[in-house]
Amino acid sequence: MLTDDDSDQSAGLRERVGELCHRSGVLRVLQGVRAWVRRDVRILAYHRVLTLADGHEFDFDLDLVSASAEDFRAQMRLLKQRFRPMRLGDVVAAMAEGRPLPADAVVVTFDDGYDDNYREAYPILCESGVPATFFVSTGYIDSGRPYDYDWVVHMILGAQLERVVMPALGLDVPMPASRIARRRLAGRVLSGIKALDGPAQTSLMTELETDWGMSRGGLHPDCRPMSWEQLREMHAAGFEIGSHGVHHRMLAKLSQAELEFELGASKATLERELGAPATLISYPVGGRTAFDDRVIRAAGAAGYDAGCSYICGTNPVATARRYGLYRLPVERTMGLGWFAAMLTLPEYMSYPTSNHVTDSVRDACSP
Ligand SMILES: [Zn+2]
C-alpha cells in the first residue's frame, strides 16, 4: 500500500517527467511506437470540473475536483488533436462484436452527476467536439442534496466538536484545529466508511448527521447534483448518460435484493426520464472492493452491456469481458504535460493509486 508521502513523491516525479516529455515533443514519437505494439482503449475518469479560487477554502471533497475549467479545456483540445475520442457505447459494441478500434481510442467519462458537469464540462465538450459519458446516481438527480461522502467531508470541516468519536470505525480522536488536518481526518473517515457493509455505512451517516446536528437541508451551490432537465439536454446533444446506481452505494456490499434494486431502478429511471435504453454503468466508489463476480453477473442480468470500475488501467481491444473496464483517473493536480504523458504511456504515467487488482477483477478485464 502506498503511503501519502510515497504517493506525493511519485506524483511529483510523474508531473516533472510528463512536463519534460510533453515540451520536448518526444510523446508524439512514443505514441506512434506504442500504437504499433499495443492496442488498448483508454477510458478517462472525471468527477468534477470546477474552478476554485482557493481549494483550501472549499467546503466539500477536494479530491473529487478533477480539473479546473481552463485545464479541462486544454485537456479536451489535446485529446481532439492527438487521440481518437469515442463514445463508450461505440467502443463496447465494437468489443462485443470483435470489430477493430482505431489506435489511440480514448473515452471521457464522469461519475456521480455533479451540476458542474453541465455548467462547466458540457459546453467545453461541445466546443471541443469530444463525446462523453455521464454516470449519475439517479436518487440524487433533482434532489439538490450533496452526496454522502461530500457531506462527511463538509461535516468534519465545519463541526464545532472537541472530539471525533466513531465506534464503528474504532475512531476516538480530538478534532483537529486546522483545515488541512481536518481534511486528512476526513480522508481517513471516508476510507473507514467504505470498508463497512451497506447497512453500517447508512446507519453511520444517519448517526453523524443527527449527533452532530448537521442535516443536509438547504441548498449548497458548491455541491449540487444535476437536474433531469439538464441531463435531457445533454442526452439530446448526443452525450451518453449511464447508471451510477440509485443511492451511490457500494454494490459488492449489498444484499442480493438491494443490489438488484440499485441496478434495476437506476436503469428504469434513466430510461423513463431520457426515453432511451440505458446500457452502461459505472460501479460507485470504485477500487477493488466496489464490485465482484456477483455484481458483474447481476449487472449483465439487469441488461447492462458494460461496467466501468475505478481501477487504474487500460483495456485491451480484444477483451471479451466488458464488465470491469479499467479507467485512468484525472486529478486536479495534473498539469497538461502529465495528462499528455499519462495518455501516451498509461502503464508508467497514470496517477499513483493504492488499488490492487484482485484475481476476479483482473479476470473481468482480461481477454
Ligand atoms: Zn461515484
Side-chain angles (χ1 to χ4, degrees), residues 58-93:
F58 187 56
D59 271 340
F60 293 92
D61 191 351
L62 199 50
D63 289 343
L64 295 180
V65 180
S66 310
S68 67
E70 187 186 352
D71 286 350
F72 184 68
R73 180 174 282 110
Q75 291 168 4
M76 293 305 103
R77 281 185 182 154
L78 184 136
L79 216 61
K80 191 70 179 173
Q81 286 164 0
R82 298 244 323 262
F83 294 84
R84 291 288 296 271
M86 292 185 68
R87 288 161 58 92
L88 181 58
D90 294 340
V91 166
V92 167

PDB file of all heavy atoms in Angstrom, residues 58-93:
ATOM      1  N   PHE A  58     -12.432  25.348   0.083  1.00  0.00           N
ATOM      2  CA  PHE A  58     -13.541  24.563  -0.472  1.00  0.00           C
ATOM      3  C   PHE A  58     -14.146  23.697   0.630  1.00  0.00           C
ATOM      4  O   PHE A  58     -13.428  23.024   1.362  1.00  0.00           O
ATOM      5  CB  PHE A  58     -13.002  23.702  -1.620  1.00  0.00           C
ATOM      6  CG  PHE A  58     -14.050  22.968  -2.394  1.00  0.00           C
ATOM      7  CD1 PHE A  58     -15.106  23.639  -2.980  1.00  0.00           C
ATOM      8  CD2 PHE A  58     -13.963  21.589  -2.557  1.00  0.00           C
ATOM      9  CE1 PHE A  58     -16.069  22.947  -3.712  1.00  0.00           C
ATOM     10  CE2 PHE A  58     -14.917  20.891  -3.289  1.00  0.00           C
ATOM     11  CZ  PHE A  58     -15.968  21.580  -3.867  1.00  0.00           C
ATOM     12  N   ASP A  59     -15.482  23.699   0.721  1.00  0.00           N
ATOM     13  CA  ASP A  59     -16.160  23.063   1.855  1.00  0.00           C
ATOM     14  C   ASP A  59     -16.544  21.608   1.631  1.00  0.00           C
ATOM     15  O   ASP A  59     -17.229  21.023   2.468  1.00  0.00           O
ATOM     16  CB  ASP A  59     -17.447  23.847   2.173  1.00  0.00           C
ATOM     17  CG  ASP A  59     -17.161  24.966   3.152  1.00  0.00           C
ATOM     18  OD1 ASP A  59     -16.131  24.896   3.844  1.00  0.00           O
ATOM     19  OD2 ASP A  59     -17.966  25.914   3.212  1.00  0.00           O
ATOM     20  N   PHE A  60     -16.148  21.043   0.486  1.00  0.00           N
ATOM     21  CA  PHE A  60     -16.537  19.655   0.207  1.00  0.00           C
ATOM     22  C   PHE A  60     -15.291  18.864  -0.174  1.00  0.00           C
ATOM     23  O   PHE A  60     -14.171  19.316   0.084  1.00  0.00           O
ATOM     24  CB  PHE A  60     -17.620  19.626  -0.873  1.00  0.00           C
ATOM     25  CG  PHE A  60     -18.913  20.241  -0.389  1.00  0.00           C
ATOM     26  CD1 PHE A  60     -19.176  21.593  -0.590  1.00  0.00           C
ATOM     27  CD2 PHE A  60     -19.824  19.484   0.317  1.00  0.00           C
ATOM     28  CE1 PHE A  60     -20.346  22.170  -0.106  1.00  0.00           C
ATOM     29  CE2 PHE A  60     -20.998  20.046   0.811  1.00  0.00           C
ATOM     30  CZ  PHE A  60     -21.257  21.396   0.593  1.00  0.00           C
ATOM     31  N   ASP A  61     -15.493  17.679  -0.780  1.00  0.00           N
ATOM     32  CA  ASP A  61     -14.354  16.789  -1.026  1.00  0.00           C
ATOM     33  C   ASP A  61     -13.492  17.301  -2.188  1.00  0.00           C
ATOM     34  O   ASP A  61     -13.871  17.183  -3.353  1.00  0.00           O
ATOM     35  CB  ASP A  61     -14.883  15.372  -1.329  1.00  0.00           C
ATOM     36  CG  ASP A  61     -13.766  14.339  -1.337  1.00  0.00           C
ATOM     37  OD1 ASP A  61     -12.585  14.736  -1.281  1.00  0.00           O
ATOM     38  OD2 ASP A  61     -14.085  13.132  -1.396  1.00  0.00           O
ATOM     39  N   LEU A  62     -12.344  17.826  -1.847  1.00  0.00           N
ATOM     40  CA  LEU A  62     -11.436  18.405  -2.847  1.00  0.00           C
ATOM     41  C   LEU A  62     -10.896  17.340  -3.805  1.00  0.00           C
ATOM     42  O   LEU A  62     -10.594  17.628  -4.961  1.00  0.00           O
ATOM     43  CB  LEU A  62     -10.277  19.077  -2.105  1.00  0.00           C
ATOM     44  CG  LEU A  62      -9.421  20.106  -2.826  1.00  0.00           C
ATOM     45  CD1 LEU A  62     -10.255  21.172  -3.510  1.00  0.00           C
ATOM     46  CD2 LEU A  62      -8.436  20.729  -1.839  1.00  0.00           C
ATOM     47  N   ASP A  63     -10.790  16.109  -3.315  1.00  0.00           N
ATOM     48  CA  ASP A  63     -10.238  15.030  -4.155  1.00  0.00           C
ATOM     49  C   ASP A  63     -11.138  14.711  -5.347  1.00  0.00           C
ATOM     50  O   ASP A  63     -10.712  14.034  -6.280  1.00  0.00           O
ATOM     51  CB  ASP A  63     -10.040  13.752  -3.338  1.00  0.00           C
ATOM     52  CG  ASP A  63      -8.880  13.903  -2.364  1.00  0.00           C
ATOM     53  OD1 ASP A  63      -8.073  14.829  -2.561  1.00  0.00           O
ATOM     54  OD2 ASP A  63      -8.796  13.106  -1.412  1.00  0.00           O
ATOM     55  N   LEU A  64     -12.393  15.150  -5.286  1.00  0.00           N
ATOM     56  CA  LEU A  64     -13.304  14.860  -6.393  1.00  0.00           C
ATOM     57  C   LEU A  64     -13.297  15.940  -7.464  1.00  0.00           C
ATOM     58  O   LEU A  64     -13.987  15.819  -8.480  1.00  0.00           O
ATOM     59  CB  LEU A  64     -14.734  14.654  -5.873  1.00  0.00           C
ATOM     60  CG  LEU A  64     -14.905  13.420  -4.977  1.00  0.00           C
ATOM     61  CD1 LEU A  64     -16.350  13.293  -4.515  1.00  0.00           C
ATOM     62  CD2 LEU A  64     -14.489  12.154  -5.710  1.00  0.00           C
ATOM     63  N   VAL A  65     -12.532  17.000  -7.243  1.00  0.00           N
ATOM     64  CA  VAL A  65     -12.384  18.028  -8.282  1.00  0.00           C
ATOM     65  C   VAL A  65     -11.268  17.555  -9.213  1.00  0.00           C
ATOM     66  O   VAL A  65     -10.108  17.507  -8.833  1.00  0.00           O
ATOM     67  CB  VAL A  65     -12.057  19.406  -7.674  1.00  0.00           C
ATOM     68  CG1 VAL A  65     -11.897  20.452  -8.771  1.00  0.00           C
ATOM     69  CG2 VAL A  65     -13.151  19.822  -6.696  1.00  0.00           C
ATOM     70  N   SER A  66     -11.626  17.187 -10.433  1.00  0.00           N
ATOM     71  CA  SER A  66     -10.662  16.576 -11.347  1.00  0.00           C
ATOM     72  C   SER A  66      -9.858  17.609 -12.122  1.00  0.00           C
ATOM     73  O   SER A  66      -8.719  17.340 -12.510  1.00  0.00           O
ATOM     74  CB  SER A  66     -11.386  15.681 -12.356  1.00  0.00           C
ATOM     75  OG  SER A  66     -12.269  14.800 -11.705  1.00  0.00           O
ATOM     76  N   ALA A  67     -10.455  18.753 -12.391  1.00  0.00           N
ATOM     77  CA  ALA A  67      -9.759  19.775 -13.194  1.00  0.00           C
ATOM     78  C   ALA A  67     -10.497  21.101 -13.068  1.00  0.00           C
ATOM     79  O   ALA A  67     -11.699  21.126 -12.803  1.00  0.00           O
ATOM     80  CB  ALA A  67      -9.718  19.359 -14.665  1.00  0.00           C
ATOM     81  N   SER A  68      -9.751  22.196 -13.291  1.00  0.00           N
ATOM     82  CA  SER A  68     -10.406  23.499 -13.442  1.00  0.00           C
ATOM     83  C   SER A  68     -10.972  23.547 -14.861  1.00  0.00           C
ATOM     84  O   SER A  68     -10.600  22.736 -15.723  1.00  0.00           O
ATOM     85  CB  SER A  68      -9.399  24.630 -13.236  1.00  0.00           C
ATOM     86  OG  SER A  68      -8.453  24.605 -14.296  1.00  0.00           O
ATOM     87  N   ALA A  69     -11.850  24.524 -15.121  1.00  0.00           N
ATOM     88  CA  ALA A  69     -12.418  24.649 -16.473  1.00  0.00           C
ATOM     89  C   ALA A  69     -11.302  24.885 -17.492  1.00  0.00           C
ATOM     90  O   ALA A  69     -11.304  24.305 -18.578  1.00  0.00           O
ATOM     91  CB  ALA A  69     -13.434  25.794 -16.504  1.00  0.00           C
ATOM     92  N   GLU A  70     -10.332  25.699 -17.130  1.00  0.00           N
ATOM     93  CA  GLU A  70      -9.231  26.012 -18.056  1.00  0.00           C
ATOM     94  C   GLU A  70      -8.405  24.756 -18.361  1.00  0.00           C
ATOM     95  O   GLU A  70      -8.073  24.473 -19.511  1.00  0.00           O
ATOM     96  CB  GLU A  70      -8.343  27.082 -17.413  1.00  0.00           C
ATOM     97  CG  GLU A  70      -7.269  27.607 -18.320  1.00  0.00           C
ATOM     98  CD  GLU A  70      -6.322  28.561 -17.575  1.00  0.00           C
ATOM     99  OE1 GLU A  70      -6.620  28.913 -16.411  1.00  0.00           O
ATOM    100  OE2 GLU A  70      -5.296  28.899 -18.144  1.00  0.00           O
ATOM    101  N   ASP A  71      -8.074  23.998 -17.325  1.00  0.00           N
ATOM    102  CA  ASP A  71      -7.304  22.763 -17.536  1.00  0.00           C
ATOM    103  C   ASP A  71      -8.106  21.757 -18.359  1.00  0.00           C
ATOM    104  O   ASP A  71      -7.567  21.076 -19.235  1.00  0.00           O
ATOM    105  CB  ASP A  71      -6.919  22.120 -16.192  1.00  0.00           C
ATOM    106  CG  ASP A  71      -5.809  22.902 -15.497  1.00  0.00           C
ATOM    107  OD1 ASP A  71      -5.227  23.797 -16.136  1.00  0.00           O
ATOM    108  OD2 ASP A  71      -5.538  22.616 -14.313  1.00  0.00           O
ATOM    109  N   PHE A  72      -9.395  21.667 -18.067  1.00  0.00           N
ATOM    110  CA  PHE A  72     -10.233  20.709 -18.787  1.00  0.00           C
ATOM    111  C   PHE A  72     -10.290  21.068 -20.278  1.00  0.00           C
ATOM    112  O   PHE A  72     -10.215  20.193 -21.145  1.00  0.00           O
ATOM    113  CB  PHE A  72     -11.639  20.674 -18.174  1.00  0.00           C
ATOM    114  CG  PHE A  72     -12.539  19.642 -18.785  1.00  0.00           C
ATOM    115  CD1 PHE A  72     -12.307  18.290 -18.606  1.00  0.00           C
ATOM    116  CD2 PHE A  72     -13.633  20.019 -19.559  1.00  0.00           C
ATOM    117  CE1 PHE A  72     -13.127  17.332 -19.178  1.00  0.00           C
ATOM    118  CE2 PHE A  72     -14.466  19.072 -20.145  1.00  0.00           C
ATOM    119  CZ  PHE A  72     -14.210  17.724 -19.942  1.00  0.00           C
ATOM    120  N   ARG A  73     -10.406  22.379 -20.563  1.00  0.00           N
ATOM    121  CA  ARG A  73     -10.439  22.808 -21.974  1.00  0.00           C
ATOM    122  C   ARG A  73      -9.142  22.404 -22.679  1.00  0.00           C
ATOM    123  O   ARG A  73      -9.169  21.859 -23.791  1.00  0.00           O
ATOM    124  CB  ARG A  73     -10.638  24.317 -22.043  1.00  0.00           C
ATOM    125  CG  ARG A  73     -10.687  24.843 -23.473  1.00  0.00           C
ATOM    126  CD  ARG A  73     -11.018  26.316 -23.552  1.00  0.00           C
ATOM    127  NE  ARG A  73     -12.435  26.558 -23.362  1.00  0.00           N
ATOM    128  CZ  ARG A  73     -12.988  27.133 -22.295  1.00  0.00           C
ATOM    129  NH1 ARG A  73     -12.214  27.534 -21.298  1.00  0.00           N
ATOM    130  NH2 ARG A  73     -14.287  27.312 -22.219  1.00  0.00           N
ATOM    131  N   ALA A  74      -8.013  22.623 -22.022  1.00  0.00           N
ATOM    132  CA  ALA A  74      -6.714  22.265 -22.624  1.00  0.00           C
ATOM    133  C   ALA A  74      -6.624  20.749 -22.807  1.00  0.00           C
ATOM    134  O   ALA A  74      -6.111  20.251 -23.824  1.00  0.00           O
ATOM    135  CB  ALA A  74      -5.584  22.769 -21.729  1.00  0.00           C
ATOM    136  N   GLN A  75      -7.139  19.990 -21.858  1.00  0.00           N
ATOM    137  CA  GLN A  75      -7.107  18.520 -21.964  1.00  0.00           C
ATOM    138  C   GLN A  75      -7.953  18.041 -23.136  1.00  0.00           C
ATOM    139  O   GLN A  75      -7.553  17.147 -23.897  1.00  0.00           O
ATOM    140  CB  GLN A  75      -7.605  17.899 -20.646  1.00  0.00           C
ATOM    141  CG  GLN A  75      -6.648  18.107 -19.483  1.00  0.00           C
ATOM    142  CD  GLN A  75      -7.256  17.762 -18.131  1.00  0.00           C
ATOM    143  OE1 GLN A  75      -8.391  17.293 -18.038  1.00  0.00           O
ATOM    144  NE2 GLN A  75      -6.506  17.998 -17.068  1.00  0.00           N
ATOM    145  N   MET A  76      -9.141  18.622 -23.301  1.00  0.00           N
ATOM    146  CA  MET A  76     -10.024  18.182 -24.391  1.00  0.00           C
ATOM    147  C   MET A  76      -9.444  18.562 -25.756  1.00  0.00           C
ATOM    148  O   MET A  76      -9.574  17.824 -26.730  1.00  0.00           O
ATOM    149  CB  MET A  76     -11.429  18.769 -24.212  1.00  0.00           C
ATOM    150  CG  MET A  76     -12.179  18.245 -23.006  1.00  0.00           C
ATOM    151  SD  MET A  76     -12.299  16.426 -22.960  1.00  0.00           S
ATOM    152  CE  MET A  76     -11.068  16.010 -21.720  1.00  0.00           C
ATOM    153  N   ARG A  77      -8.789  19.719 -25.833  1.00  0.00           N
ATOM    154  CA  ARG A  77      -8.147  20.112 -27.101  1.00  0.00           C
ATOM    155  C   ARG A  77      -7.045  19.116 -27.461  1.00  0.00           C
ATOM    156  O   ARG A  77      -6.914  18.706 -28.606  1.00  0.00           O
ATOM    157  CB  ARG A  77      -7.556  21.519 -26.966  1.00  0.00           C
ATOM    158  CG  ARG A  77      -8.624  22.575 -27.104  1.00  0.00           C
ATOM    159  CD  ARG A  77      -8.021  23.953 -27.081  1.00  0.00           C
ATOM    160  NE  ARG A  77      -9.073  24.949 -27.160  1.00  0.00           N
ATOM    161  CZ  ARG A  77      -8.979  26.178 -26.698  1.00  0.00           C
ATOM    162  NH1 ARG A  77      -7.868  26.590 -26.132  1.00  0.00           N
ATOM    163  NH2 ARG A  77      -9.988  27.012 -26.813  1.00  0.00           N
ATOM    164  N   LEU A  78      -6.263  18.767 -26.471  1.00  0.00           N
ATOM    165  CA  LEU A  78      -5.170  17.811 -26.715  1.00  0.00           C
ATOM    166  C   LEU A  78      -5.731  16.460 -27.158  1.00  0.00           C
ATOM    167  O   LEU A  78      -5.221  15.822 -28.085  1.00  0.00           O
ATOM    168  CB  LEU A  78      -4.335  17.658 -25.444  1.00  0.00           C
ATOM    169  CG  LEU A  78      -3.108  16.764 -25.598  1.00  0.00           C
ATOM    170  CD1 LEU A  78      -1.904  17.427 -24.924  1.00  0.00           C
ATOM    171  CD2 LEU A  78      -3.323  15.386 -25.001  1.00  0.00           C
ATOM    172  N   LEU A  79      -6.816  16.065 -26.517  1.00  0.00           N
ATOM    173  CA  LEU A  79      -7.454  14.791 -26.857  1.00  0.00           C
ATOM    174  C   LEU A  79      -7.908  14.790 -28.310  1.00  0.00           C
ATOM    175  O   LEU A  79      -7.721  13.814 -29.044  1.00  0.00           O
ATOM    176  CB  LEU A  79      -8.671  14.638 -25.949  1.00  0.00           C
ATOM    177  CG  LEU A  79      -9.027  13.273 -25.439  1.00  0.00           C
ATOM    178  CD1 LEU A  79      -7.911  12.718 -24.606  1.00  0.00           C
ATOM    179  CD2 LEU A  79     -10.304  13.350 -24.595  1.00  0.00           C
ATOM    180  N   LYS A  80      -8.500  15.896 -28.718  1.00  0.00           N
ATOM    181  CA  LYS A  80      -9.031  16.002 -30.079  1.00  0.00           C
ATOM    182  C   LYS A  80      -7.893  16.037 -31.105  1.00  0.00           C
ATOM    183  O   LYS A  80      -8.010  15.465 -32.196  1.00  0.00           O
ATOM    184  CB  LYS A  80      -9.876  17.275 -30.174  1.00  0.00           C
ATOM    185  CG  LYS A  80     -10.682  17.394 -31.419  1.00  0.00           C
ATOM    186  CD  LYS A  80     -11.817  16.393 -31.473  1.00  0.00           C
ATOM    187  CE  LYS A  80     -12.625  16.561 -32.745  1.00  0.00           C
ATOM    188  NZ  LYS A  80     -13.632  15.510 -32.897  1.00  0.00           N
ATOM    189  N   GLN A  81      -6.806  16.701 -30.742  1.00  0.00           N
ATOM    190  CA  GLN A  81      -5.689  16.835 -31.696  1.00  0.00           C
ATOM    191  C   GLN A  81      -4.885  15.543 -31.838  1.00  0.00           C
ATOM    192  O   GLN A  81      -4.449  15.189 -32.917  1.00  0.00           O
ATOM    193  CB  GLN A  81      -4.729  17.939 -31.222  1.00  0.00           C
ATOM    194  CG  GLN A  81      -5.260  19.333 -31.423  1.00  0.00           C
ATOM    195  CD  GLN A  81      -4.479  20.355 -30.609  1.00  0.00           C
ATOM    196  OE1 GLN A  81      -3.532  20.025 -29.890  1.00  0.00           O
ATOM    197  NE2 GLN A  81      -4.894  21.602 -30.710  1.00  0.00           N
ATOM    198  N   ARG A  82      -4.685  14.833 -30.734  1.00  0.00           N
ATOM    199  CA  ARG A  82      -3.691  13.759 -30.746  1.00  0.00           C
ATOM    200  C   ARG A  82      -4.286  12.350 -30.623  1.00  0.00           C
ATOM    201  O   ARG A  82      -3.596  11.368 -30.863  1.00  0.00           O
ATOM    202  CB  ARG A  82      -2.701  13.961 -29.595  1.00  0.00           C
ATOM    203  CG  ARG A  82      -1.880  15.246 -29.661  1.00  0.00           C
ATOM    204  CD  ARG A  82      -0.415  14.938 -29.813  1.00  0.00           C
ATOM    205  NE  ARG A  82      -0.010  13.778 -29.075  1.00  0.00           N
ATOM    206  CZ  ARG A  82       0.567  13.801 -27.865  1.00  0.00           C
ATOM    207  NH1 ARG A  82       0.791  14.955 -27.278  1.00  0.00           N
ATOM    208  NH2 ARG A  82       0.923  12.689 -27.274  1.00  0.00           N
ATOM    209  N   PHE A  83      -5.545  12.255 -30.181  1.00  0.00           N
ATOM    210  CA  PHE A  83      -6.132  10.924 -29.945  1.00  0.00           C
ATOM    211  C   PHE A  83      -7.447  10.790 -30.704  1.00  0.00           C
ATOM    212  O   PHE A  83      -7.807  11.669 -31.471  1.00  0.00           O
ATOM    213  CB  PHE A  83      -6.317  10.706 -28.434  1.00  0.00           C
ATOM    214  CG  PHE A  83      -5.001  10.625 -27.696  1.00  0.00           C
ATOM    215  CD1 PHE A  83      -4.343  11.780 -27.283  1.00  0.00           C
ATOM    216  CD2 PHE A  83      -4.396   9.402 -27.472  1.00  0.00           C
ATOM    217  CE1 PHE A  83      -3.110  11.714 -26.648  1.00  0.00           C
ATOM    218  CE2 PHE A  83      -3.168   9.330 -26.825  1.00  0.00           C
ATOM    219  CZ  PHE A  83      -2.527  10.482 -26.414  1.00  0.00           C
ATOM    220  N   ARG A  84      -8.138   9.695 -30.481  1.00  0.00           N
ATOM    221  CA  ARG A  84      -9.418   9.465 -31.155  1.00  0.00           C
ATOM    222  C   ARG A  84     -10.522   9.345 -30.106  1.00  0.00           C
ATOM    223  O   ARG A  84     -10.832   8.245 -29.652  1.00  0.00           O
ATOM    224  CB  ARG A  84      -9.351   8.175 -31.979  1.00  0.00           C
ATOM    225  CG  ARG A  84      -8.441   8.269 -33.188  1.00  0.00           C
ATOM    226  CD  ARG A  84      -9.044   9.154 -34.283  1.00  0.00           C
ATOM    227  NE  ARG A  84     -10.282   8.591 -34.805  1.00  0.00           N
ATOM    228  CZ  ARG A  84     -10.324   7.738 -35.826  1.00  0.00           C
ATOM    229  NH1 ARG A  84      -9.209   7.353 -36.421  1.00  0.00           N
ATOM    230  NH2 ARG A  84     -11.471   7.271 -36.256  1.00  0.00           N
ATOM    231  N   PRO A  85     -11.094  10.487 -29.701  1.00  0.00           N
ATOM    232  CA  PRO A  85     -12.172  10.417 -28.698  1.00  0.00           C
ATOM    233  C   PRO A  85     -13.378   9.666 -29.258  1.00  0.00           C
ATOM    234  O   PRO A  85     -13.794   9.927 -30.381  1.00  0.00           O
ATOM    235  CB  PRO A  85     -12.524  11.881 -28.438  1.00  0.00           C
ATOM    236  CG  PRO A  85     -11.459  12.702 -29.080  1.00  0.00           C
ATOM    237  CD  PRO A  85     -10.845  11.860 -30.152  1.00  0.00           C
ATOM    238  N   MET A  86     -13.910   8.722 -28.482  1.00  0.00           N
ATOM    239  CA  MET A  86     -15.051   7.914 -28.932  1.00  0.00           C
ATOM    240  C   MET A  86     -16.105   7.829 -27.849  1.00  0.00           C
ATOM    241  O   MET A  86     -15.821   8.012 -26.660  1.00  0.00           O
ATOM    242  CB  MET A  86     -14.579   6.483 -29.266  1.00  0.00           C
ATOM    243  CG  MET A  86     -13.679   6.407 -30.486  1.00  0.00           C
ATOM    244  SD  MET A  86     -13.295   4.678 -30.891  1.00  0.00           S
ATOM    245  CE  MET A  86     -14.894   4.037 -31.435  1.00  0.00           C
ATOM    246  N   ARG A  87     -17.313   7.499 -28.262  1.00  0.00           N
ATOM    247  CA  ARG A  87     -18.379   7.232 -27.293  1.00  0.00           C
ATOM    248  C   ARG A  87     -18.153   5.845 -26.692  1.00  0.00           C
ATOM    249  O   ARG A  87     -17.780   4.898 -27.405  1.00  0.00           O
ATOM    250  CB  ARG A  87     -19.747   7.238 -27.989  1.00  0.00           C
ATOM    251  CG  ARG A  87     -20.214   8.610 -28.412  1.00  0.00           C
ATOM    252  CD  ARG A  87     -21.301   8.506 -29.473  1.00  0.00           C
ATOM    253  NE  ARG A  87     -22.456   7.748 -29.026  1.00  0.00           N
ATOM    254  CZ  ARG A  87     -23.536   8.281 -28.455  1.00  0.00           C
ATOM    255  NH1 ARG A  87     -23.617   9.584 -28.292  1.00  0.00           N
ATOM    256  NH2 ARG A  87     -24.547   7.531 -28.074  1.00  0.00           N
ATOM    257  N   LEU A  88     -18.427   5.726 -25.399  1.00  0.00           N
ATOM    258  CA  LEU A  88     -18.215   4.435 -24.739  1.00  0.00           C
ATOM    259  C   LEU A  88     -19.094   3.351 -25.361  1.00  0.00           C
ATOM    260  O   LEU A  88     -18.655   2.216 -25.558  1.00  0.00           O
ATOM    261  CB  LEU A  88     -18.502   4.561 -23.229  1.00  0.00           C
ATOM    262  CG  LEU A  88     -18.287   3.288 -22.417  1.00  0.00           C
ATOM    263  CD1 LEU A  88     -16.868   2.753 -22.547  1.00  0.00           C
ATOM    264  CD2 LEU A  88     -18.631   3.531 -20.939  1.00  0.00           C
ATOM    265  N   GLY A  89     -20.344   3.705 -25.686  1.00  0.00           N
ATOM    266  CA  GLY A  89     -21.251   2.713 -26.275  1.00  0.00           C
ATOM    267  C   GLY A  89     -20.695   2.147 -27.578  1.00  0.00           C
ATOM    268  O   GLY A  89     -20.841   0.950 -27.854  1.00  0.00           O
ATOM    269  N   ASP A  90     -20.042   2.988 -28.372  1.00  0.00           N
ATOM    270  CA  ASP A  90     -19.468   2.520 -29.641  1.00  0.00           C
ATOM    271  C   ASP A  90     -18.276   1.599 -29.383  1.00  0.00           C
ATOM    272  O   ASP A  90     -18.082   0.609 -30.089  1.00  0.00           O
ATOM    273  CB  ASP A  90     -19.033   3.716 -30.501  1.00  0.00           C
ATOM    274  CG  ASP A  90     -20.225   4.550 -30.951  1.00  0.00           C
ATOM    275  OD1 ASP A  90     -21.354   4.014 -30.936  1.00  0.00           O
ATOM    276  OD2 ASP A  90     -20.034   5.728 -31.289  1.00  0.00           O
ATOM    277  N   VAL A  91     -17.484   1.947 -28.376  1.00  0.00           N
ATOM    278  CA  VAL A  91     -16.331   1.113 -28.022  1.00  0.00           C
ATOM    279  C   VAL A  91     -16.812  -0.258 -27.537  1.00  0.00           C
ATOM    280  O   VAL A  91     -16.301  -1.308 -27.960  1.00  0.00           O
ATOM    281  CB  VAL A  91     -15.478   1.802 -26.931  1.00  0.00           C
ATOM    282  CG1 VAL A  91     -14.498   0.833 -26.309  1.00  0.00           C
ATOM    283  CG2 VAL A  91     -14.748   3.004 -27.521  1.00  0.00           C
ATOM    284  N   VAL A  92     -17.818  -0.253 -26.683  1.00  0.00           N
ATOM    285  CA  VAL A  92     -18.341  -1.501 -26.119  1.00  0.00           C
ATOM    286  C   VAL A  92     -18.937  -2.367 -27.228  1.00  0.00           C
ATOM    287  O   VAL A  92     -18.726  -3.589 -27.267  1.00  0.00           O
ATOM    288  CB  VAL A  92     -19.382  -1.185 -25.016  1.00  0.00           C
ATOM    289  CG1 VAL A  92     -20.178  -2.421 -24.639  1.00  0.00           C
ATOM    290  CG2 VAL A  92     -18.680  -0.606 -23.789  1.00  0.00           C
ATOM    291  N   ALA A  93     -19.671  -1.740 -28.152  1.00  0.00           N
ATOM    292  CA  ALA A  93     -20.266  -2.506 -29.266  1.00  0.00           C
ATOM    293  C   ALA A  93     -19.172  -3.139 -30.118  1.00  0.00           C
ATOM    294  O   ALA A  93     -19.271  -4.306 -30.514  1.00  0.00           O
ATOM    295  CB  ALA A  93     -21.144  -1.587 -30.114  1.00  0.00           C
TER     296      ALA A  93
END
